[in-house]
Amino acid sequence: MIENASLLAALGFAFVAGLASFLSPCVLPLVPVYIASMAGPEILDTEIKKERLRIFLHSLSFVVGFSIIFSLWGAGAGLLGSVLISYTVVIRYIVGSLLIIFGLVMLAALKVPWLNYERHLNISSGSGRSYSRSFLIGAIFCFAWIPCLSWQIAAILSLAGSTATVWKGTYLLAIYSLGLGLPFLVVGIAFDAVTPLLKRIQRYSRIIYIFSGLLMIALGILVIMNKLILLATI
């Protein structure tokens, strides 16, 4: 199981995985549209002056929504790991192997698109623009984007299970949510300035995706070798 020193490395990986999820080809291009669906389509009009605080609060509500759900998933994975703690070595090999497989599938998905298909959940825009609605959209985000982020999420949940504690599993998914959520907050607070930048970053999303897959494979090898603690010394 993951010890405290190795947990630092796992938390670092979780944060990077969250950032990579945000920068993935199926999330990054839709960020402005997603925020517009919460704060109102008028924010996409360059001629209209934006209410930065309102846009930021909608983004914050959205991030809090998916962070709570992801953290609950982490708690569940950690609880399952605690039940299986007597099989430490076996679980380490299983988790490491899964990470390697997930990384290989991510790389294969570049050539076999159906391995990384998208299924978006349409949410009626309605007339309400409440922060509770943005919170709900954030919570639904976890389920609607599973087909898109399935390999990253599965990898973090596998690590959460190997922590063998509810709290460590929760921390791991909370840090993943932080990596995924911080960019949303940055976009929310500086929407006009950041949106053009997102379009420029999008051209490198394929490279970022490949790096994420390779990082996942390397992490899996370290887990199998019980050398995850090496990342904490970098």
Side-chain angles (χ1 to χ4, degrees):
M1 297 296 177
I2 293 181
E3 303 297 336
N4 289 333
S6 298
L7 180 62
L8 293 176
L11 291 174
F13 171 77
F15 183 79
V16 172
L19 286 176
S21 295
F22 177 85
L23 296 172
S24 65
C26 54
V27 173
L28 183 64
L30 295 174
V31 171
V33 177
Y34 226 173
I35 294 179
S37 73
M38 296 180 288
E42 64 275 5
I43 68 172
L44 296 175
D45 190 337
T46 56
E47 302 298 324
I48 297 178
K49 185 177 181 179
K50 312 297 190 300
E51 298 179 38
R52 291 187 177 182
L53 179 60
R54 185 175 65 87
I55 297 174
F56 173 75
L57 290 177
H58 276 291
S59 301
L60 179 62
S61 300
F62 173 75
V63 170
V64 170
F66 70 67
S67 295
I68 289 177
I69 299 300
F70 278 141
S71 297
L72 289 175
W73 289 1
L79 179 61
L80 179 61
S82 66
V83 174
L84 302 174
I85 194 170
S86 57
Y87 302 96
T88 301
V89 176
V90 174
I91 291 177
R92 193 179 77 234
Y93 276 94
I94 291 175
V95 170
S97 299
L98 285 175
L99 290 172
I100 293 173
I101 291 172
F102 294 152
L104 290 173
V105 172
M106 284 183 66
L107 297 178
L110 294 172
K111 296 294 184 181
V112 187
W114 65 265
L115 289 173
N116 199 30
Y117 69 95
E118 297 178 59
R119 179 186 297 154
H120 299 298
L121 184 61
N122 294 323
I123 302 174
S124 175
S125 58
S127 58
R129 299 292 177 191
S130 68
Y131 299 123
S132 59
R133 177 177 175 275
S134 296
F135 174 88
L136 178 61
I137 294 176
I140 294 174
F141 171 93
C142 301
F143 303 95
W145 252 254
I146 284 179
C148 173
L149 304 178
S150 57
W151 308 115
Q152 296 95 317
I153 294 173
I156 302 301
L157 286 174
S158 297
L159 282 177
S162 69
T163 63
T165 69
V166 172
W167 289 112
K168 288 180 181 178
T170 303
Y171 294 156
L172 207 56
L173 268 294
I175 293 298
Y176 171 81
S177 300
L178 181 64
L180 177 60
L182 276 180
F184 274 106
L185 298 182
V186 171
V187 174
I189 203 168
F191 189 82
D192 283 336
V194 175
T195 301
L197 178 62
L198 294 181
K199 294 180 179 179
R200 289 196 291 271
I201 295 176
Q202 186 178 341
R203 69 185 68 171
Y204 302 107
S205 60
R206 184 181 179 91
I207 296 175
I208 295 170
Y209 190 81
I210 292 174
F211 172 78
S212 302
L214 293 174
L215 181 61
M216 201 173 294
I217 293 171
L219 187 71
I221 294 173
L222 290 175
V223 169
I224 289 176
M225 297 174 62
N226 201 23
K227 298 293 184 181
L228 191 59
I229 192 173
L230 292 177
L231 292 179
T233 62
I234 297 177

